[in-house]
Amino acid sequence: MTLVEWSEKDLLAWPAAPTEAVEPEFPENVAGGRLAHSEPRYVFFYTPLCGTCKVGERMLEVVAALNPQIAIGRCNINFSPVLARNWQIESVPCLVRWNRRTVAGKKYRFDDVQELHRWMNITTNG
Protein backbone atom coordinates (compact mmCIF):
# COMPACT_ATOMS: atom_id res chain seq x y z
CA MET A 1 0.00 0.00 0.00
CA THR A 2 1.42 3.37 -0.98
CA LEU A 3 0.47 6.68 0.54
CA VAL A 4 -1.57 9.15 -1.48
CA GLU A 5 0.52 12.06 -2.77
CA TRP A 6 -0.91 15.44 -1.82
CA SER A 7 0.46 18.61 -3.38
CA GLU A 8 0.80 21.93 -1.62
CA LYS A 9 -2.19 23.12 -3.64
CA ASP A 10 -4.29 20.19 -2.36
CA LEU A 11 -3.34 20.86 1.25
CA LEU A 12 -3.89 24.60 1.02
CA ALA A 13 -7.41 23.86 -0.24
CA TRP A 14 -8.30 22.18 3.05
CA PRO A 15 -10.87 24.32 4.85
CA ALA A 16 -9.34 26.66 7.40
CA ALA A 17 -12.57 27.89 8.99
CA PRO A 18 -14.70 25.64 11.22
CA THR A 19 -17.82 26.85 9.44
CA GLU A 20 -16.59 25.48 6.11
CA ALA A 21 -18.75 22.46 5.30
CA VAL A 22 -17.44 21.57 1.84
CA GLU A 23 -15.22 18.51 1.77
CA PRO A 24 -12.36 18.99 -0.72
CA GLU A 25 -12.07 16.35 -3.40
CA PHE A 26 -8.98 14.32 -2.68
CA PRO A 27 -8.08 11.14 -4.54
CA GLU A 28 -9.31 8.90 -1.70
CA ASN A 29 -12.68 10.69 -1.70
CA VAL A 30 -13.16 10.56 -5.45
CA ALA A 31 -12.01 6.94 -5.77
CA GLY A 32 -15.10 5.67 -4.05
CA GLY A 33 -13.98 5.21 -0.46
CA ARG A 34 -15.17 8.43 1.12
CA LEU A 35 -13.69 8.58 4.60
CA ALA A 36 -15.91 9.59 7.51
CA HIS A 37 -15.16 13.29 7.90
CA SER A 38 -11.52 12.44 7.07
CA GLU A 39 -10.37 13.95 10.36
CA PRO A 40 -7.96 13.70 11.85
CA ARG A 41 -5.81 13.60 8.76
CA TYR A 42 -2.11 12.90 8.70
CA VAL A 43 0.36 14.45 6.27
CA PHE A 44 3.82 12.95 5.97
CA PHE A 45 6.36 15.53 4.81
CA TYR A 46 9.42 14.02 3.14
CA THR A 47 12.15 14.57 0.59
CA PRO A 48 12.85 11.94 -2.07
CA LEU A 49 16.55 11.55 -1.24
CA CYS A 50 16.12 11.21 2.54
CA GLY A 51 16.84 7.66 3.72
CA THR A 52 15.13 8.24 7.07
CA CYS A 53 12.04 9.47 5.19
CA LYS A 54 11.92 6.23 3.21
CA VAL A 55 12.02 4.17 6.42
CA GLY A 56 9.35 6.39 8.01
CA GLU A 57 7.14 6.07 4.95
CA ARG A 58 7.36 2.26 5.10
CA MET A 59 6.26 2.39 8.73
CA LEU A 60 3.32 4.64 7.82
CA GLU A 61 2.31 2.24 5.05
CA VAL A 62 2.05 -0.53 7.67
CA VAL A 63 -0.03 1.72 9.95
CA ALA A 64 -2.26 2.67 6.99
CA ALA A 65 -2.75 -1.01 6.13
CA LEU A 66 -3.74 -1.74 9.75
CA ASN A 67 -6.15 1.24 9.84
CA PRO A 68 -7.63 1.88 6.40
CA GLN A 69 -10.05 4.44 7.89
CA ILE A 70 -7.16 6.81 8.74
CA ALA A 71 -6.72 9.56 6.14
CA ILE A 72 -2.99 9.72 5.50
CA GLY A 73 -0.97 11.08 2.63
CA ARG A 74 2.44 12.42 1.83
CA CYS A 75 3.80 15.71 0.58
CA ASN A 76 7.23 16.48 -0.88
CA ILE A 77 8.44 19.42 1.17
CA ASN A 78 10.72 20.57 -1.67
CA PHE A 79 7.58 21.68 -3.54
CA SER A 80 5.74 23.02 -0.50
CA PRO A 81 7.52 26.15 0.76
CA VAL A 82 4.32 27.89 1.86
CA LEU A 83 3.18 24.93 3.97
CA ALA A 84 6.66 24.44 5.41
CA ARG A 85 6.60 28.04 6.61
CA ASN A 86 2.94 28.22 7.68
CA TRP A 87 2.90 24.86 9.46
CA GLN A 88 6.41 25.46 10.85
CA ILE A 89 7.91 22.20 9.58
CA GLU A 90 11.40 22.13 11.10
CA SER A 91 12.85 19.04 9.41
CA VAL A 92 11.93 15.86 7.59
CA PRO A 93 10.59 13.33 8.09
CA CYS A 94 7.65 15.05 9.73
CA LEU A 95 4.18 13.65 10.35
CA VAL A 96 1.57 16.36 10.86
CA ARG A 97 -1.74 15.64 12.56
CA TRP A 98 -4.47 17.87 11.06
CA ASN A 99 -7.56 17.99 13.23
CA ARG A 100 -10.39 20.50 13.66
CA ARG A 101 -9.08 22.59 10.78
CA THR A 102 -5.63 23.17 12.28
CA VAL A 103 -2.26 21.53 12.89
CA ALA A 104 -2.88 19.52 16.06
CA GLY A 105 0.51 17.85 16.40
CA LYS A 106 3.81 17.04 14.72
CA LYS A 107 6.06 14.03 15.00
CA TYR A 108 9.66 14.05 13.80
CA ARG A 109 10.92 10.82 15.32
CA PHE A 110 9.54 7.45 14.29
CA ASP A 111 10.84 4.82 16.72
CA ASP A 112 8.85 1.85 15.44
CA VAL A 113 5.50 0.94 13.88
CA GLN A 114 3.89 0.13 17.22
CA GLU A 115 4.80 3.50 18.75
CA LEU A 116 3.70 5.35 15.60
CA HIS A 117 0.42 3.43 15.55
CA ARG A 118 -0.18 4.35 19.20
CA TRP A 119 0.53 8.07 18.54
CA MET A 120 -1.91 8.13 15.64
CA ASN A 121 -4.64 6.17 17.43
CA ILE A 122 -4.73 8.52 20.41
CA THR A 123 -6.74 11.05 18.39
CA THR A 124 -8.59 8.71 16.04
CA ASN A 125 -10.19 6.92 18.99
CA GLY A 126 -10.90 9.90 21.17
Side-chain angles (χ1 to χ4, degrees), residues 56-114:
E57 184 171 355
R58 296 287 296 178
M59 286 195 249
L60 286 170
E61 288 171 351
V62 171
V63 172
L66 291 171
N67 298 298
Q69 77 280 5
I70 293 177
I72 182 167
R74 66 184 193 156
C75 182
N76 185 341
I77 201 155
N78 291 328
F79 300 115
S80 306
V82 173
L83 281 176
R85 185 178 56 248
N86 291 352
W87 291 7
Q88 299 175 351
I89 307 300
E90 298 170 14
S91 65
V92 291
C94 179
L95 182 62
V96 173
R97 179 186 301 138
W98 175 265
N99 197 7
R100 297 197 172 110
R101 320 273 191 234
T102 187
V103 173
K106 290 185 252 181
K107 184 158 190 63
Y108 294 99
R109 180 177 169 176
F110 301 5
D111 293 326
D112 57 43
V113 171
Q114 194 173 25

Side-chain angles (χ1 to χ4, degrees), residues 6-57:
W6 289 326
S7 70
E8 183 175 59
K9 182 181 175 185
D10 293 334
L11 297 174
L12 288 172
W14 284 4
T19 57
E20 184 79 34
V22 176
E23 182 71 23
E25 290 192 8
F26 292 112
E28 78 277 7
N29 292 342
V30 176
R34 195 170 210 26
L35 300 168
H37 295 300
S38 297
E39 288 200 274
R41 295 177 183 167
Y42 296 90
V43 183
F44 177 66
F45 286 94
Y46 73 100
T47 60
L49 299 177
C50 170
T52 308
C53 295
K54 290 184 189 316
V55 172
E57 184 171 355

